[in-house]
Amino acid sequence: MGQVYKIAVLPGDGIGREVIPEATRLIREAILPTSDLTLEIHEFECGGEYFLRTGLEWSKEAENFTKTKADAILLGGIGARGPDGTTVRRSDGNLAGYSVVIGLRQELELYANVRPVKLYEGVPTPLAEKGPKDIDMVIIRENTEGLYYPARGRVKETDREFAYDLRLITAKGSERVARYAFELARNRMGAPVDKVKRVTCVDKSNLLAGCQLFRESFDKIGGEYTDIAKDYAYVDAWTLLVLRKPEHYDVIVAPNAFGDIISDLGGALQGGLGVAPSSNIGNTHAVFEPVHGSAPDIAGTSKANPIASLLSTAMMFEWIGKKHNDETPIKIARQLRGSIEEVLREGKIRTPDLCVGKWSRVKPSTTKQVTDAIIQKMAR
Ligand code: ATP
């Protein structure tokens, strides 16, 4: 028997409790019975709904297992609304579930937030003249420092009031995420337009000191990767450039907050949050999660698209396989992605978010029906 992989599964709140169970169902029904993979699923409650019931964001057992025993972590959306309709918060004002999402990133040093922006056939994009052959890039967002690092405050004095968010950027943090981006580019096929392996540094280095260090670190590490083209854009200009010519981009690396914002733009180009997967990668640990949150507006309606979570699950298998030099999970990742691609291409089974444009006449399917279609493809 090969290695036993232990997966911590944290569905979280809202639609996280609908789409993450679909991922574990697919693992149980379509992967475990047909492969020699040995895998344990350890599921724990966490987030705002759990906090409302228990006063805790997650149990000690969940935290301990996730941080010290799990080989990989699969996470859903965090964020619940209380009985008064407002977001459930801790006494310090942070979202209930903050220590799960941000705590894991900080404590496990998950420094690279990886967000593939790939337009699959059968998925609508808002760019009228662009198609799947034009949109295939990966945005890497620095994930542990910058504007989102929890160093902020608010001061109220008799005659003035102000707030501040410290934006600390280090050479170490910038260099390691740049290296991740160059390594990733080395293993990809290059940009759609010219097949050139290219990493674009997206920053605001004409103005901000942190971005100047970020770009210097990018250049320093880039010097070791002579086979990969280096490319630069200021973040404001990039939003326009990517709409005009998405096919130019292969791998993009950006500081934390800028990376967060541009990857939502990427999410729109690839057909919306329902199909946008992500991972948070460190040297030893990794968390896989859909880009979307808990989407309370559609929770409980069976409208949530499970594909973002299933693509995140495929990323998880690929990462496990590469880390442990095990071909089986890599093959599973390929099969899962292929099955999702087929269902999307056929265009018949899809949740309402994808029933737009050319597909507006398709009768919307439920979350479960989409997973069932993918499971059927896996079985073949
Ligand atoms: P949170 O505060 O947890 O981030 P949110 O509602 O502010 O929740 P998202 O969860 O990212 O933000 O959702 C934004 C919108 O995108 C939702 O209103 C929802 O309609 C849509 N959406 C998000 N995820 C999906 C999905 N998997 N399938 C279909 N629609 C989705």
Side-chain angles (χ1 to χ4, degrees):
M1 193 171 79
Q3 175 158 359
V4 180
Y5 298 114
K6 297 188 181 73
I7 311 298
V9 176
L10 305 165
D13 295 309
I15 63 166
R17 296 161 87 107
E18 297 163 36
V19 291
I20 297 297
E22 289 301 281
T24 53
R25 178 163 78 91
L26 181 136
I27 292 173
R28 288 194 175 102
E29 290 181 15
I31 294 176
L32 296 183
T34 57
S35 77
D36 54 7
L37 188 78
T38 321
L39 180 141
E40 290 174 7
I41 293 173
H42 297 257
E43 194 166 324
F44 302 99
E45 283 192 84
C46 70
E49 291 164 42
Y50 185 72
F51 184 83
L52 268 182
R53 280 206 326 275
T54 64
L56 298 169
E57 293 167 282
W58 52 352
S59 66
K60 274 274 156 249
E61 186 202 355
E63 183 174 359
N64 180 44
F65 183 88
T66 304
K67 289 182 181 169
T68 64
K69 298 203 174 68
D71 291 296
I73 302 157
L74 187 60
L75 177 66
I78 296 282
R81 296 204 183 138
D84 62 355
T86 62
T87 303
V88 183
R89 295 189 180 278
R90 312 189 308 197
S91 56
D92 65 1
N94 278 314
L95 190 73
Y98 179 89
S99 60
V100 180
V101 183
I102 308 296
L104 283 174
R105 284 181 197 167
Q106 294 294 341
E107 280 179 49
L108 302 180
E109 283 203 66
L110 308 178
Y111 58 83
N113 182 204
V114 181
R115 294 185 171 184
V117 177
K118 178 174 169 60
L119 178 66
Y120 288 99
E121 249 182 81
V123 176
T125 178
L127 295 187
E129 283 162 23
K130 304 293 177 186
K133 64 174 190 347
D134 303 304
I135 300 174
D136 186 358
M137 66 188 97
V138 182
I139 298 177
I140 312 290
R141 158 193 171 198
E142 201 294 320
N143 214 21
T144 53
E145 51 186 42
L147 197 56
Y148 292 171
Y149 184 79
R152 57 183 70 98
R154 199 160 168 161
V155 178
K156 194 167 186 175
E157 296 169 345
T158 35
D159 55 347
R160 62 178 187 158
E161 183 176 5
F162 61 91
Y164 58 91
D165 299 281
L166 178 69
R167 183 173 180 263
L168 188 77
I169 289 187
T170 67
K172 180 186 164 202
S174 306
E175 286 177 19
R176 67 185 178 183
V177 76
R179 186 174 299 286
Y180 187 91
F182 282 106
E183 284 294 324
L184 181 71
R186 197 168 256 174
N187 290 305
R188 282 173 50 86
M189 308 301 289
V193 71
D194 52 11
K195 302 292 168 226
V196 170
K197 293 177 194 264
R198 175 182 294 119
V199 183
T200 306
C201 182
V202 173
D203 59 41
K204 192 70 184 164
S205 55
N206 51 343
L207 191 65
L208 301 172
C211 283
Q212 285 157 11
L213 178 58
F214 191 82
R215 192 178 277 208
E216 279 165 33
S217 307
F218 172 85
D219 282 334
K220 180 178 163 195
I221 300 300
E224 296 174 29
Y225 294 83
T226 49
D227 51 326
I228 295 169
K230 278 119 227 149
D231 187 40
Y232 307 87
Y234 296 132
V235 62
D236 41 355
W238 189 81
T239 57
L240 182 145
L241 295 169
V242 74
L243 293 182
R244 286 196 178 140
K245 206 174 172 191
E247 61 273 26
H248 174 73
Y249 296 101
D250 177 16
V251 176
I252 294 104
V253 64
N256 200 337
F258 291 157
D260 189 27
I261 295 164
I262 66 169
S263 51
D264 266 30
L265 175 55
L269 300 185
Q270 75 190 118
L273 290 174
V275 290
S278 80
S279 58
N280 302 274
I281 309 278
N283 288 334
T284 51
H285 292 77
V287 172
F288 299 84
E289 57 178 335
V291 170
H292 64 75
S294 57
D297 58 331
I298 57 165
T301 64
S302 294
K303 288 182 182 163
N305 192 337
I307 287 180
S309 293
L310 298 177
L311 286 170
S312 305
T313 306
M315 290 175 84
M316 179 181 81
F317 281 117
E318 190 175 342
W319 180 82
I320 290 175
K322 285 187 176 156
K323 184 174 181 220
H324 297 273
N325 206 9
D326 182 351
E327 194 49 43
T328 304
I330 294 177
K331 209 172 117 208
I332 289 168
R334 236 184 346 254
Q335 281 171 343
L336 175 51
R337 234 178 251 130
S339 302
I340 294 169
E341 240 174 290
E342 227 179 299
V343 169
L344 287 170
R345 192 170 47 239
E346 287 173 0
K348 293 183 232 146
I349 309 285
R350 50 186 52 220
T351 42
D353 54 312
L354 297 184
C355 296
V356 295
K358 245 165 73 181
W359 297 273
S360 53
R361 284 170 190 272
V362 177
K363 181 170 170 271
S365 310
T366 63
T367 309
K368 280 194 182 333
Q369 285 168 335
V370 172
T371 315
D372 286 341
I374 295 165
I375 287 176
Q376 270 174 28
K377 298 286 181 203
M378 294 280 288
R380 283 201 287 117

